[in-house]
């Protein structure tokens, strides 16, 4: 192999075929974005000569990774773009970007006064002020903060029971489970317990994906180093897997840490997984058996989030949800919803964000499912706001469709 | 994770094979590392344009007997080739891809080659064409005397001057015009990204293609032929039909630099047909670490799925030629990287290529050595449940022969047939 001839981000493998641009959701709607080929490998060649060639319009990249999935030459195009932003951008994140990036801090501040915050940010006058003062688009609906977070529930209701299980997993709940959707975490614990696994929490910090998007590089790196260190203790020390319920958290902690933030996670990367992949592997190997309710009925449309397309793990959700008797499952066309984390909140992106997601919204409306299944919370916010259809994390669907007691018996749990 | 058949590669041959198997009730998994050669398609499929000795072919089915025995078509045999060739248009139609052949059929009702206009203004043989492409009956006679070539202002990937030069040599009087459309002008904010697919997206909007059509109609007064770039109908090729109806002269669409709009449309529709039939398509994933025991492949893995073992009764390798990385060259060898299959290449490295870039290149003819059922060998030992299809198959130089799509479709249909009949 000629490894010595390759740069760390292999831009010289690009053959200029422009296939990446053909699959870029942003370039299709926003003419200000230079497109993945120009922003990635073409620009990198110039930037190596002189940082003067860095273009601040690279910020329009949503980091959906569709360019990398499409590239016939294996170029890490989005990594090129975001590592260039990290190395060369002179843009100093403003208050809005800092607020949006700090999903965990924002959650901690908002939680004690959740009902007030929720009603304030959904009131029209406040939205108008945020629109003008902070460039957060007034048409955007905010996810609702929950007063009682997941961790508090876990400590009070579930933690004591977990010691009884001989097999364990570490649960990376992520910010949205803690602050907005504790039901996802509760569902995770119920399902894991039913299939014979105890759940352990560690001192996690936000995965940092929103910090990467918003250019808070040092902070993102600190989070990456913290999480990787914490995982190292349980992965190499106790041999436990780290299981997430958000595909974006899992993706970021596996691949963005080394590729964009330059944080070495090689000893823990393969142990970071997604709930659906974890459960599927156990079922496929015969270690775990699932017993479903007889009377569960649902017509479900599955939207595979971009980061799960990149991970290549959508097949596990498809397989697991497809196992439920009484479910009719339609796989939606592979299409970005346009939200891309905090991207769709921003006034300058809102219009493009809706335009990117339009084909997906139209397909959902035409199918008229009972609800949509998706592993990503920000896709959920976008789809729920834009279509009115409810979006459920697959683990919530499983918790609902499984006969948990029968499953526990089938797996010889107590 | 279990499938009936696992196909490595996501291009034309892979999708044809996968759709055939899936529709016959098998559970198929396709592992595709990045997009494929359909993205470089001219908009037409070749079956056989030239024999290996350079003789031009008018009717491919009548020329099969002149092919050497190691040629994939010879391995399939004339009778089965006849069946697959006849079946192809209806097969693609059932996947939402409409193909047409030359206006006049050859002997026995089998297609004669038609001729498509190339971006250099020359004519090349083709077997079947997508809706964009017009096939002419003869390569010597262009039935029009005056042509208008229209490009979008600022679009660098469609060289109207080359087409005009080539056609002028054939006695056609050519005129070149450019047209500006507001939304297309918008794309020029990033001139490097003003590419075929971007224009095609913009042209998908009704007001845009109508504005373009009416501008071209005004320009085309008194012309016999109007030549436009292949940048229409990315989502729905009906726009191509509407433009033809709107413009009074004969309208021909000619290929641009990649990516190919008709090629991407075809790829999207075939992939959709595969998934609608229940197949699983892993995008952006690479097959690695196969296990081969006693002449049988028992499992493979992929980069994304890590430790999960993918098992199947049969495996199909459709990962492309050197350009698609289905084959790789080292200073001394041509290797097939997934299984390490035996390949056919001369040991003298100097004979691999001609320094004249435009000359026929020997390496285009290298490929995986296969038996009559397209089963490959490892170290001279046959692998019984692995089949090789598409450009990776040795025994022919499909670039030279103009048989790339033909070999892809024929080998895919043949292998699907063999798998289904349990041979």
């Amino acid at each position: 192999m000629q490894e010595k001839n390759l740069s760390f981000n292999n831009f010289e493998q690009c053959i200029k075929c422009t296939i990446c641009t053909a699959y870029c959701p942003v370039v299709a709607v926003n003419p200000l974005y230079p497109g993945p080929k120009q922003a990635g490998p073409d620009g990198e060649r110039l930037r190596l000569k002189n940082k003067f060639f860095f273009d601040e319009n690279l910020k329009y990249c949503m980091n959906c990774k569709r360019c990398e999935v499409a590239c016939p030459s294996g170029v890490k195009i989005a990594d090129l773009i975001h590592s260039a932003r990290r190395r060369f951008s002179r843009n100093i994140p403003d208050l809005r970007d800092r607020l949006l990036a700090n999903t965990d801090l924002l959650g901690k501040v908002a939680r004690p006064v959740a009902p007030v915050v929720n009603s304030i940010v959904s009131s029209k006058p406040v939205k108008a002020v945020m629109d003008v003062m902070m460039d957060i688009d007034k048409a955007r609906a905010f996810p609702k903060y929950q007063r009682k977070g997941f961790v508090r529930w876990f400590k009070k209701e579930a933690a004591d029971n977990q010691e009884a299980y001989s097999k364990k997993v570490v649960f990376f709940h992520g910010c949205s489970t803690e602050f907005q959707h504790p039901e996802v975490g509760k569902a995770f614990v119920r399902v894991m317990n039913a299939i014979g696994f105890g759940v352990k929490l560690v001192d996690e910090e936000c995965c940092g994906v929103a910090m990467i998007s918003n250019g808070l590089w040092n902070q993102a790196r600190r989070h990456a180093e913290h999480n990787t260190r914490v995982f190292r203790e349980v992965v190499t020390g106790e041999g436990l897997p780290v299981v997430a319920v958000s595909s974006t958290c899992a993706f970021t902690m596996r691949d963005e840490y080394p590729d964009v933030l330059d944080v070495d996670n090689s000893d823990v990367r393969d142990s970071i997984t997604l709930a659906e992949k974890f459960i599927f592997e156990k079922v496929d190997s015969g270690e775990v058996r699932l017993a479903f309710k007889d009377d569960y009925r649902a017509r479900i449309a599955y939207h595979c989030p971009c980061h799960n397309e990149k991970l290549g793990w959508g097949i596990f959700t498809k397989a697991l949800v497809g196992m439920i008797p009484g479910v009719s499952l339609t796989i939606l066309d592979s299409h970005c919803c346009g939200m891309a984390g905090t991207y769709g909140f921003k006034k300058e992106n809102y219009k493009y964000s809706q335009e990117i997601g339009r084909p997906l919204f139209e397909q959902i409306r035409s199918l008229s499912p009972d609800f949509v299944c998706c592993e990503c919370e920000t896709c959920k916010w976008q789809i729920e706001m834009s279509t009115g259809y409810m979006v459920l994390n697959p683990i919530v669907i499983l918790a609902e469709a499984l006969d948990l007691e029968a499953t526990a018996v089938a797996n010889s749990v107590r | 994770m279990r499938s009936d058949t696992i196909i490595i590669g996501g291009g034309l041959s892979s999708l044809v094979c996968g759709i055939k198997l899936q529709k016959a009730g098998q559970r198929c998994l396709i592992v595709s590392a990045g997009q494929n050669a359909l993205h470089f398609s001219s908009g037409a499929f070749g079956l056989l344009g030239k024999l290996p000795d350079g003789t031009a072919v008018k009717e491919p089915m009548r020329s099969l007997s002149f092919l050497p025995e190691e040629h994939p078509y010879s391995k399939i045999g004339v009778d089965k080739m006849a069946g697959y060739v006849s079946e192809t248009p209806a097969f693609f139609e059932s996947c939402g891809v409409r193909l047409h052949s030359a206006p006049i059929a050859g002997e026995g009702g089998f297609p004669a080659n038609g001729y498509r206009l190339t971006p250099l203004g020359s004519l090349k043989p083709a077997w079947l064409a997508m809706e964009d492409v017009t096939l002419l009956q003869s390569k010597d006679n262009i039935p029009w005397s005056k042509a208008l070539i229209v490009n979008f202002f600022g679009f660098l990937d469609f060289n109207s001057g080359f087409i005009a030069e080539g056609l002028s040599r054939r006695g056609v009087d050519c005129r070149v015009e450019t047209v500006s459309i507001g939304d297309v002008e918008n794309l020029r904010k990033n001139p490097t990204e003003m590419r075929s697919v971007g224009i095609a997206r913009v042209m998908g909007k009704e007001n845009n293609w109508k504005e373009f059509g009416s501008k071209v109609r005004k320009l085309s007064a008194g012309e016999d032929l109007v030549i436009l770039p292949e940048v229409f109908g990315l989502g729905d090729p009906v726009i191509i039909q509407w433009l033809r109806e709107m413009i009074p002269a004969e309208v021909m669409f000619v290929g641009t630099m990649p990516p190919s709009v008709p090629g991407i449309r075809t790829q999207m529709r075939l992939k959709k047909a595969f998934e609608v039939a229940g197949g699983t398509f892993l995008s952006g994933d690479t097959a690695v670490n196969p296990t081969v025991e006693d002449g049988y492949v028992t499992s493979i893995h992929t980069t994304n799925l890590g430790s999960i073992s993918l098992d199947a009764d049969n495996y199909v390798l459709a990962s492309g030629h050197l350009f698609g990385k289905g084959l790789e060259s080292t200073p001394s060898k041509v290797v097939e990287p997934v299984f390490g299959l035996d390949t056919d290449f001369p040991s003298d490295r100097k004979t691999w290529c001609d320094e004249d870039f435009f000359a026929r290149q020997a390496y285009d003819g290298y490929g995986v050595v296969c038996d009559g059922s397209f089963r490959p060998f490892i170290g001279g030992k046959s692998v019984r449940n692995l089949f090789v299809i598409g450009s990776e198959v040795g025994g022919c130089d499909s670039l030279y022969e103009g048989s790339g799509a033909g070999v892809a479709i024929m080998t895919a249909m043949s292998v699907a047939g063999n798998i289904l009949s349990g041979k």
Side-chain angles (χ1 to χ4, degrees):
Chain A
M1 285 300 283
Q2 306 177 19
E3 278 174 347
K4 292 264 158 61
N5 289 351
L6 302 177
S7 64
F8 76 97
N9 44 30
N10 71 352
F11 78 94
E12 60 280 290
Q13 296 289 302
C14 172
I15 59 160
K16 314 298 168 203
C17 67
T18 323
I19 286 175
C20 53
T21 301
Y23 289 89
C24 174
V26 182
V27 94
V29 298
N30 184 352
L32 295 173
Y33 178 53
K37 175 170 139 304
Q38 177 65 27
D42 285 10
E44 187 71 5
R45 189 167 56 82
L46 300 172
R47 294 189 289 262
L48 282 177
K49 287 186 188 295
N50 191 328
K51 63 184 176 187
F52 162 81
F53 289 104
F54 177 76
D55 179 354
E56 289 289 351
N57 284 335
L58 264 53
K59 71 179 175 197
Y60 290 113
C61 170
M62 302 191 294
N63 204 16
C64 69
K65 304 278 176 187
R66 285 179 182 270
C67 48
E68 293 185 5
V69 174
C71 178
S73 308
V75 180
K76 294 178 167 182
I77 306 162
D79 290 351
L80 277 165
I81 294 170
H82 292 279
S83 66
R85 286 181 58 224
R86 178 169 71 80
R87 284 174 294 148
F88 303 122
S89 176
R90 299 169 65 111
N91 180 46
I92 298 163
D94 59 14
L95 177 67
R96 175 201 67 180
D97 289 2
R98 285 174 191 279
L99 279 177
L100 287 175
N102 280 283
T103 49
D104 50 351
L105 184 72
L106 210 57
K108 279 175 197 154
V109 173
R111 180 158 57 200
V113 285
V116 185
V117 171
N118 291 337
S119 70
I120 286 178
V121 295
S122 56
S123 86
K124 274 190 182 162
V126 173
K127 281 188 160 186
V129 171
M130 289 201 298
D131 189 295
V132 175
M133 303 283 288
M134 292 182 65
D135 287 337
I136 291 174
D137 202 279
K138 62 176 178 289
R140 173 63 57 191
F142 275 81
K144 300 258 184 291
Y145 287 102
Q146 301 298 319
R147 194 116 179 234
K148 290 179 183 167
F150 165 72
V151 174
R152 185 169 139 185
W153 171 85
F154 181 82
K155 284 181 180 158
K156 201 171 159 204
E157 307 283 342
D160 292 346
N161 305 330
Q162 303 306 315
E163 287 309 313
Y165 299 87
S166 57
K167 298 183 285 186
K168 282 196 183 57
V169 297
V170 168
F171 178 35
F172 184 91
H173 53 74
C175 300
S176 72
T177 298
E178 174 58 10
F179 299 113
Q180 286 109 353
H181 308 296
E183 71 280 5
V184 176
K186 293 176 192 172
F188 177 85
V189 175
R190 286 210 303 275
V191 172
M192 282 296 152
N193 287 175
I195 62 172
F197 286 83
V199 173
K200 176 176 173 151
L201 302 186
V202 289
D203 174 29
E204 69 173 61
E205 279 183 2
C206 167
C207 69
V209 69
M211 294 163 192
I212 295 173
S213 316
N214 288 288
L216 298 168
W217 305 107
N218 292 333
Q219 203 183 351
R221 228 191 120 117
R222 280 200 301 278
H223 281 227
E225 282 165 349
H226 173 91
N227 284 335
T228 305
R229 194 170 51 243
V230 167
F231 296 163
R232 195 165 285 137
E233 283 166 26
V234 286
V235 169
T236 59
E238 301 173 48
L240 300 181
V242 177
V243 186
V245 280
S246 159
S247 47
T248 288
C249 298
F251 165 73
T252 302
M253 299 189 298
R254 284 171 62 94
D255 295 335
E256 301 286 78
Y257 285 4
D259 294 341
V260 176
L261 298 174
D262 213 9
V263 170
D264 180 12
N265 66 350
S266 51
D267 53 345
V268 298
R269 180 183 180 271
D270 288 348
S271 300
I272 303 171
T273 188
L274 197 60
E276 292 70 34
K277 178 170 187 275
F278 179 83
I279 298 169
F280 176 85
E281 282 192 78
K282 298 291 173 199
V283 173
D284 195 46
S285 70
E287 189 185 331
V288 156
R289 273 187 290 270
L290 303 179
F292 292 100
K293 289 176 186 159
D294 295 332
D295 58 348
Y296 186 84
R297 298 278 178 279
R299 288 185 312 110
I300 305 176
Y302 171 53
H303 166 64
C304 186
C306 298
H307 288 159
N308 208 17
E309 290 275 359
K310 172 65 181 161
L311 284 169
W313 294 354
I315 50 163
F316 302 122
T317 298
K318 201 173 127 179
L320 279 179
V321 177
M323 279 176 201
I324 307 171
V327 160
S328 93
L329 180 66
T330 310
I331 312 301
L332 295 163
D333 292 345
S334 175
H335 212 293
C336 178
C337 75
M339 186 65 175
T342 59
Y343 188 93
F345 281 103
K346 301 177 183 177
K347 192 175 167 71
E348 69 271 26
N349 297 336
Y350 181 79
K351 182 180 79 173
Y352 300 127
S353 149
Q354 289 296 300
E355 186 65 20
I356 290 167
R358 195 168 44 84
L360 175 69
F361 309 151
E362 283 170 3
Q363 197 188 8
I364 292 171
R365 284 193 206 100
S366 74
L367 283 168
S368 186
D370 293 335
F371 51 84
V372 176
C373 166
C374 175
E375 304 91 337
C376 171
E377 62 281 1
T378 69
C379 296
K380 170 186 165 79
W381 300 338
Q382 171 86 331
I383 295 169
E384 289 187 342
M385 185 196 87
S386 309
T387 66
Y389 284 89
M390 183 167 67
V391 181
L392 297 180
N393 187 293
I395 199 73
V396 175
I397 299 173
L398 281 179
E400 195 57 40
L402 281 171
D403 182 334
L404 293 168
E405 277 178 25
T407 301
V409 170
N411 293 289
S412 320
V413 180
R414 278 174 290 181
Chain B
M1 198 172 190
R2 197 150 178 88
S3 312
D4 294 318
T5 300
I6 294 173
I7 306 175
I8 301 166
L12 181 60
S13 62
S14 155
L15 285 162
V16 169
C17 188
I19 293 167
K20 290 226 92 170
L21 292 173
Q22 195 70 42
K23 284 191 175 171
Q26 284 215 342
R27 282 175 309 155
C28 291
L29 176 76
I30 290 179
V31 183
S32 164
Q35 294 293 4
N36 51 73
L38 273 170
H39 292 61
F40 304 90
S41 168
S42 64
F45 291 157
L47 185 59
L48 189 64
K50 238 190 243 180
L51 290 175
D53 66 6
T55 313
V57 169
K58 180 66 195 154
E59 294 182 32
M61 288 307 291
R62 289 179 66 186
S63 300
L64 294 181
S65 56
F66 298 107
L67 292 171
E69 62 175 351
E70 70 270 19
H71 196 285
Y73 293 166
S74 304
K75 288 178 179 168
I76 296 169
V78 177
D79 290 345
K80 288 207 161 153
M81 282 287 292
Y84 300 146
V85 165
S86 311
E87 182 191 338
T88 300
F91 171 82
F92 278 85
E93 179 91 44
S94 74
C95 304
V97 178
R98 196 166 292 162
L99 299 172
H100 60 274
S101 50
I104 294 179
E107 199 182 88
F110 290 111
N113 278 332
Y115 297 88
R116 68 175 171 88
L117 186 61
T118 73
L120 295 178
S122 59
L123 290 169
K124 279 207 166 179
W127 160 41
L128 293 166
M130 298 165 200
E131 283 159 270
D132 319 59
V133 174
T134 305
L135 290 182
L136 303 180
Q137 204 179 315
S138 153
K139 72 171 178 192
D140 305 312
N141 176 27
I142 291 186
W144 301 285
S145 58
K146 288 182 74 187
L148 169 72
I149 306 164
V150 183
N151 192 10
F152 290 90
F153 188 68
F155 180 42
L156 304 176
D157 288 349
F158 180 69
N159 203 315
S160 42
F162 287 168
I163 302 172
E165 200 183 313
L167 282 179
S168 302
R169 269 193 239 119
R170 293 168 178 271
V172 181
D173 187 10
C174 294
R175 187 161 68 91
V176 174
E177 294 280 357
T178 53
V179 162
S180 291
I181 304 285
D183 279 359
V184 177
E185 282 297 292
N186 223 4
L187 295 174
R188 297 183 67 219
K189 286 180 186 164
N190 274 302
T192 55
E193 300 302 305
M194 184 178 180
R195 308 297 289 258
S196 56
V197 173
I199 299 178
R201 282 204 195 97
V202 169
M203 282 295 131
K205 287 186 190 147
E206 190 178 355
N207 57 324
N208 286 331
W209 66 257
K210 277 192 171 158
E211 183 186 344
F212 178 80
S214 62
K215 282 186 171 168
V216 174
R217 180 164 57 192
K218 272 189 204 126
L219 288 169
S220 67
E223 305 282 356
D224 304 332
L225 173 65
V226 169
I227 295 171
L228 305 175
E230 280 175 5
V231 293
F232 299 94
L234 180 64
D236 189 345
V238 73
I239 294 172
I240 294 162
Q241 197 49 47
W242 288 337
L243 280 174
R244 287 207 165 104
E245 284 164 15
M246 234 179 133
I247 300 164
E250 175 74 22
V251 180
M252 271 178 139
F253 296 87
V254 171
T256 64
M257 290 289 276
S260 157
V261 169
I264 290 184
R265 181 201 310 132
T266 301
Q267 203 272 343
M268 291 192 299
R269 292 186 169 209
L270 292 179
K271 178 170 177 268
K272 178 106 188 171
F274 174 69
E275 290 180 321
V276 165
T280 302
F281 193 101
L282 302 182
S283 302
D285 203 356
T286 308
V288 290
N289 297 334
T291 307
V292 184
E293 286 168 351
D294 302 329
Y296 286 87
V297 182
T298 53
S299 72
I300 61 154
H301 292 79
T302 75
T303 329
N304 282 344
L305 304 188
S307 61
I308 293 176
S309 156
L310 303 176
D311 320 322
D313 296 332
N314 290 292
Y315 298 78
V316 178
L317 186 67
S319 51
H321 203 256
L322 288 159
F323 188 57
K325 297 191 172 174
L327 296 173
E328 286 174 0
S329 73
T330 72
S332 59
K333 283 185 289 191
V334 173
V335 294
E336 183 285 303
V338 181
F339 296 93
L341 302 177
D342 295 354
T343 52
D344 186 18
F345 62 94
S347 57
D348 182 5
R349 179 70 151 85
K350 285 194 211 86
T351 61
W352 289 12
C353 60
D354 190 318
E355 284 183 5
D356 176 2
F357 182 77
F358 294 99
R360 179 179 182 176
Q361 298 292 346
Y363 61 75
D364 282 328
Y366 304 163
V368 173
V369 182
C370 299
D371 69 11
S373 308
F374 300 104
R375 281 182 295 219
F377 301 86
I378 299 177
K381 285 176 72 180
S382 174
V383 189
R384 311 302 297 166
N385 65 340
L386 175 63
F387 302 86
V388 183
I389 59 173
S391 59
E392 208 159 4
V393 177
C396 70
D397 179 346
S398 51
L399 192 66
Y400 181 77
E401 295 169 4
S403 62
V407 168
I409 298 167
M410 296 299 114
T411 54
M413 289 192 168
S414 168
V415 163
N418 286 343
I419 288 176
L420 290 172
S421 64
K423 274 183 196 163

